[in-house]
Amino acid sequence: MTRTFRGLALAIAVAPLILGAAGCSDDKADNKSESASDRPTVEVTAQPQDVQSAQVAAEQVFDNLSEGDWAGAYDLWTDSAKTAIGKDAYIDLVATCTGQQGQYQVTGVTPVDDKTATIKWSHTPAGGAATTGSSTVKYQNGTWRFEPDPAALAAYKQNKCP
């Protein structure tokens, strides 16, 4: 009788553990809405609307030009500048313009208003003489965008190197 009682007691003690383990599941796999709430939320924030951020945007365009990343430079243009020439046409054209690469340096930033800044720059192509110019950077949809100078945009419209 002792043996039967021990077996019964063991069965009663172990049964909940076995049944509990069999009923366990990964809550995250079964309840997808709960797992989604475990993830951190990411909020898209706008760039600061200051001249330092405007300068950084212009410097990024100049870095892209220096490195021959024509698509990267174009992607940072203002919406209105992009109407002058399509991305593929710009890439095809500017790749033939020998003077686009080289060293660029921002020499001054002047705020025009809270959404516009004028960027003064110098450019020294490889083996060439330094030139200076100015461009506009505009705040659009939470980011600073570069607008090439009007002469360059006019040349692009005519499918010519500036």
Side-chain angles (χ1 to χ4, degrees), residues 64-68 70 90-104 123-129 131 156 159-162:
N64 289 345
L65 291 173
S66 293
E67 296 166 3
W70 316 127
Y90 169 75
I91 292 168
D92 291 343
L93 172 64
V94 79
T96 67
C97 301
T98 58
Q100 291 294 302
Q101 287 182 287
Q103 184 66 34
Y104 287 87
H123 173 231
T124 307
T131 59
Y156 296 142
N159 202 33
K160 294 180 182 175
C161 294

Side-chain angles (χ1 to χ4, degrees), residues 36-100:
S37 67
D38 290 347
R39 297 180 189 159
T41 17
V42 177
E43 293 183 34
V44 177
T45 57
Q47 290 177 331
Q49 228 169 312
D50 56 19
V51 292
Q52 292 84 7
S53 297
Q55 180 173 341
V56 168
E59 288 171 345
Q60 181 61 53
V61 170
F62 293 143
D63 287 347
N64 289 345
L65 291 173
S66 293
E67 296 166 3
D69 181 4
W70 316 127
Y74 183 90
D75 288 342
L76 297 172
W77 280 13
T78 62
D79 295 338
S80 60
K82 289 177 181 178
T83 63
I85 186 171
K87 184 175 184 175
D88 291 337
Y90 169 75
I91 292 168
D92 291 343
L93 172 64
V94 79
T96 67
C97 301
T98 58
Q100 291 294 302

